[in-house]
Amino acid sequence: MENQNHQALIQKLLNCALACENCAAQGFKEAQNAMMEKCIPMDIDCADICMLAARLLQRGSDIAHEFLLICEKACRMCAQECAKHDHEHCKKCAQACNECADACHEHHSKLNQD
Amino acid sequence: MENQNHQALIQKLLNCALACENCAAQGFKEAQNAMMEKCIPMDIDCADICMLAARLLQRGSDIAHEFLLICEKACRMCAQECAKHDHEHCKKCAQACNECADACHEHHSKLNQD
Amino acid sequence: MENQNHQALIQKLLNCALACENCAAQGFKEAQNAMMEKCIPMDIDCADICMLAARLLQRGSDIAHEFLLICEKACRMCAQECAKHDHEHCKKCAQACNECADACHEHHSKLNQD
Amino acid sequence: MENQNHQALIQKLLNCALACENCAAQGFKEAQNAMMEKCIPMDIDCADICMLAARLLQRGSDIAHEFLLICEKACRMCAQECAKHDHEHCKKCAQACNECADACHEHHSKLNQD
């Protein structure tokens, strides 16, 4: 695993966390019930998990790579929910989540090959 | 500063964070606009700040005591907002926030006297 | 799953996180190389993961129960490392980590039965 | 306050947090006592505080701007400590911390003028 990929993944994790924070913040302003029940809580969980994943990777933690699996799942769940909504921030969030989930998956797969 | 007070404060910080998390989670379920715009976002900020304050204290960090000032402020803001709502979880959250803010204030005042 | 168990698990997660923070903080003061390379970094990872697990549970997050699996693993790794050291804070941390790991495991197993 | 500055500040906060995580991780590997007692614990505190500051800003939290003051202080303390050490990761961390502290200060000053 080259360090370059590592940094690219960390950047995707942070991008995803920021997109989730933004999606939640915009959702709060719009105050629509459909958003509230599922989308915003998932944004917050996903942001928390992505931020911690980025930090574990940056630390070189022994548990970082296994943590990417739960992170991938959180991103997929959030992307799936955000894709149901037409808001621009939801679309951006769904995209950031899917890119992040793909990067987590790829990173984990490569490590298992090595 | 006796260690006993330290542990009591940490417990109040964690209680407050859990009350905030619960208040936000219940608020999401009720999906009422009045809750959404102010109360839930403040719950989340307050939970984040209280959790970090508890950890900084437990670590004995040099910056912990100054951090209690911003934590007190976050708790007061959240308590003030939660006090406007009649939900049981909001009342409990307002009480936990005020108790935590008082404890932060007292802890900080004592340190400045020492 | 009764709510009582839920709160008991959250308490074990917080206890574990605080024990890890304390173990790391004491380890920094003692500044012994054997502690530094493995024990302290694992304490910090474990504290981060336990704190987030407690919050996800308190929120009733959809991903909380799956998150307990990675949390159990982090606790086991930290307990195994701390058990190698004779410091009182390491012994306490190993115990808190094992209790937390058992609670995560039991909680997850019960859910799969339900 | 233009949104551009906002995003630039968030990037500086994340850069600083990552530099701190890296500095701590490298410090653990080197396992030198002089690093352990002050530098690594400050790295961890600073990373925690910067990460939360970035998220509060991204959320548009009411308390974000006041939080920048304690963040600036954490960055200055960490920069001052890291500047004492000759390791490359310490130099980079000190620089990231100072850039972040300057950005927090500037952001807060501008807001008070507006």
Side-chain angles (χ1 to χ4, degrees):
Chain A
M1 178 63 43
E2 312 120 67
N3 193 41
Q4 196 56 32
N5 279 349
H6 210 64
Q7 289 305 311
L9 173 55
I10 288 171
Q11 202 51 55
K12 283 207 172 70
L13 287 161
L14 296 177
N15 286 347
C16 182
L18 292 178
C20 287
E21 291 280 3
N22 183 59
C23 190
Q26 299 302 320
F28 281 126
K29 282 188 203 158
E30 292 151 4
Q32 297 180 346
N33 294 0
M35 287 291 295
M36 194 178 206
E37 283 172 68
K38 285 257 182 186
C39 182
I40 303 178
M42 278 188 181
D43 285 335
I44 296 165
D45 293 349
C46 190
D48 281 343
I49 292 172
C50 284
M51 278 286 183
L52 183 48
R55 298 180 71 180
L56 293 172
L57 271 173
Q58 183 78 354
R59 288 176 200 169
S61 298
D62 286 343
I63 207 162
H65 300 112
E66 187 154 344
F67 198 89
L68 294 179
L69 290 180
I70 187 87
C71 188
E72 181 189 352
K73 182 147 187 182
C75 291
R76 297 276 182 228
M77 286 166 69
C78 192
Q80 200 172 1
E81 180 60 33
C82 277
K84 295 179 190 165
H85 305 282
D86 279 337
H87 306 277
E88 193 57 34
H89 58 82
C90 282
K91 288 183 193 168
K92 281 187 188 170
C93 188
Q95 190 181 341
C97 285
N98 274 325
E99 285 177 12
C100 186
D102 291 345
C104 289
H105 187 84
E106 188 186 5
H107 193 91
H108 198 271
S109 304
K110 268 193 193 165
L111 282 169
N112 286 353
Q113 290 174 348
D114 290 350
Chain B
M1 178 63 41
E2 311 119 69
N3 192 40
Q4 196 56 35
N5 279 347
H6 210 65
Q7 289 306 312
L9 174 56
I10 288 170
Q11 203 51 56
K12 283 207 173 69
L13 287 161
L14 296 177
N15 286 346
C16 182
L18 292 178
C20 288
E21 292 280 3
N22 183 59
C23 190
Q26 299 303 320
F28 280 126
K29 282 188 204 160
E30 292 151 3
Q32 298 181 344
N33 294 0
M35 287 291 296
M36 194 177 206
E37 281 173 68
K38 284 259 181 183
C39 182
I40 303 179
M42 277 187 182
D43 285 334
I44 296 165
D45 293 349
C46 190
D48 280 342
I49 292 172
C50 285
M51 278 287 183
L52 183 47
R55 298 180 71 180
L56 293 171
L57 272 172
Q58 183 78 353
R59 289 176 199 169
S61 298
D62 287 342
I63 207 163
H65 299 113
E66 187 155 342
F67 198 89
L68 293 179
L69 290 180
I70 188 87
C71 188
E72 182 190 351
K73 183 147 188 181
C75 292
R76 297 277 182 227
M77 286 166 69
C78 191
Q80 201 172 0
E81 180 59 31
C82 278
K84 294 180 191 167
H85 306 282
D86 280 335
H87 307 278
E88 193 58 33
H89 58 79
C90 281
K91 287 183 193 169
K92 281 187 188 170
C93 188
Q95 191 181 339
C97 285
N98 274 325
E99 284 177 13
C100 186
D102 291 346
C104 289
H105 187 84
E106 189 185 4
H107 193 90
H108 198 271
S109 302
K110 269 193 192 165
L111 281 170
N112 286 352
Q113 287 174 354
D114 291 349
Chain C
M1 179 62 42
E2 311 119 67
N3 193 41
Q4 196 57 34
N5 280 347
H6 209 64
Q7 289 305 312
L9 173 56
I10 288 171
Q11 203 51 55
K12 283 206 174 69
L13 287 160
L14 297 176
N15 286 346
C16 182
L18 292 178
C20 287
E21 291 280 4
N22 182 60
C23 190
Q26 299 303 321
F28 281 127
K29 282 188 203 160
E30 292 153 3
Q32 298 180 344
N33 294 0
M35 288 291 295
M36 194 176 205
E37 281 172 69
K38 285 259 182 183
C39 182
I40 303 178
M42 277 187 181
D43 285 334
I44 295 165
D45 292 348
C46 190
D48 280 343
I49 292 171
C50 285
M51 279 286 183
L52 183 48
R55 299 180 70 179
L56 293 172
L57 272 173
Q58 183 78 352
R59 289 175 198 169
S61 299
D62 287 343
I63 206 163
H65 300 112
E66 187 156 342
F67 198 88
L68 293 179
L69 291 180
I70 187 89
C71 189
E72 182 190 352
K73 181 147 189 180
C75 291
R76 297 275 183 228
M77 286 166 69
C78 192
Q80 200 172 359
E81 179 59 31
C82 278
K84 295 180 192 165
H85 305 282
D86 279 336
H87 306 280
E88 193 57 34
H89 58 81
C90 281
K91 287 182 193 169
K92 282 187 187 169
C93 188
Q95 191 182 341
C97 285
N98 274 325
E99 285 178 12
C100 186
D102 291 345
C104 289
H105 187 84
E106 189 186 6
H107 193 91
H108 198 269
S109 303
K110 270 194 191 164
L111 282 168
N112 286 352
Q113 288 174 353
D114 289 351
Chain D
M1 178 64 43
E2 312 119 66
N3 193 40
Q4 195 57 34
N5 279 348
H6 211 63
Q7 289 305 314
L9 173 55
I10 287 170
Q11 202 51 56
K12 283 206 172 70
L13 287 161
L14 297 177
N15 286 346
C16 182
L18 292 178
C20 287
E21 292 280 5
N22 182 59
C23 189
Q26 298 303 321
F28 280 126
K29 282 189 204 159
E30 292 152 4
Q32 298 181 344
N33 294 0
M35 287 292 295
M36 195 179 206
E37 282 172 69
K38 285 258 181 186
C39 182
I40 302 178
M42 278 187 180
D43 284 334
I44 295 164
D45 292 349
C46 190
D48 280 344
I49 293 172
C50 284
M51 279 286 183
L52 183 48
R55 299 179 70 179
L56 293 171
L57 272 172
Q58 183 78 353
R59 290 175 198 169
S61 299
D62 287 343
I63 207 163
H65 300 112
E66 188 156 341
F67 198 88
L68 293 179
L69 291 180
I70 187 87
C71 189
E72 182 190 351
K73 183 147 187 182
C75 291
R76 297 278 182 225
M77 286 166 68
C78 192
Q80 200 172 359
E81 180 59 31
C82 278
K84 294 179 192 167
H85 305 281
D86 279 336
H87 306 279
E88 193 58 33
H89 59 80
C90 281
K91 286 182 193 169
K92 281 187 187 168
C93 188
Q95 190 181 342
C97 284
N98 274 326
E99 284 177 12
C100 186
D102 291 345
C104 289
H105 187 84
E106 189 185 6
H107 193 91
H108 198 271
S109 303
K110 268 192 192 165
L111 281 169
N112 286 353
Q113 288 174 353
D114 290 350

